[in-house]
Amino acid sequence: MVDRIGESAAPAIAKPIGTKEVKEVEVEQKPVTEPAKQSTPLKEEELQKFADQVNTFLQPSQTHVQFEYHEDLQEYYAVIVDNNSEEIIKEIPSKKILDMYAAMTEFMGLFVDKKA
């Protein structure tokens, strides 16, 4: 079969639509020599200094930050409070999430203790 003068039409190999050609890539494996560093919790003095710095930044927005202590988890979380109404605007992370996390860890502790 001839499409144009002097050219023959060779059957084309159809490539499925939406497929990509996959190339092999060599990935270099690096040995793990140093364990990941865990963040150390801030001391109360450092936390207060940080809160003062953030509060200076937040002054124009008429808000301030407080750090609350979660008894069950024994960790601090941030609370952003309106200066005028003393209403909590935002909790970071949410106290409800922290309560749920504490309940799950307590449940898992009970589950593991009973299993063993």
Side-chain angles (χ1 to χ4, degrees):
M1 182 171 151
V2 176
D3 286 341
R4 296 185 192 157
I5 301 173
E7 291 183 17
S8 63
I13 300 174
K15 184 177 179 183
I17 297 174
T19 61
K20 294 183 180 180
E21 196 173 307
V22 179
K23 296 179 182 178
E24 285 189 36
V25 178
E26 197 170 308
V27 179
E28 185 180 329
Q29 296 285 335
K30 294 181 180 180
V32 179
T33 56
E34 183 177 318
K37 294 181 181 179
Q38 294 182 353
S39 60
T40 57
L42 295 175
K43 297 177 183 174
E44 270 191 64
E45 299 84 29
E46 293 171 335
L47 199 57
Q48 185 60 46
K49 183 179 177 184
F50 177 71
D52 292 340
Q53 291 172 347
V54 172
N55 287 334
T56 303
F57 177 76
L58 290 176
Q59 218 169 18
S61 65
Q62 298 297 314
T63 58
H64 66 275
V65 69
Q66 296 175 345
F67 288 94
E68 304 284 330
Y69 188 74
H70 195 278
E71 292 292 330
D72 296 337
L73 295 176
Q74 299 177 353
E75 291 186 13
Y76 286 94
Y77 63 98
V79 178
I80 300 175
V81 181
D82 186 289
N83 287 344
N84 300 324
S85 66
E86 294 296 318
E87 180 182 343
I88 294 175
I89 297 171
K90 182 93 173 161
E91 295 173 329
I92 306 169
S94 170
K95 186 170 183 329
K96 289 182 182 181
I97 297 293
L98 293 175
D99 290 340
M100 185 172 60
Y101 179 71
M104 285 191 308
T105 55
E106 182 181 343
F107 177 75
M108 289 303 296
L110 293 174
F111 181 73
V112 172
D113 289 343
K114 288 183 181 179
K115 205 68 165 153

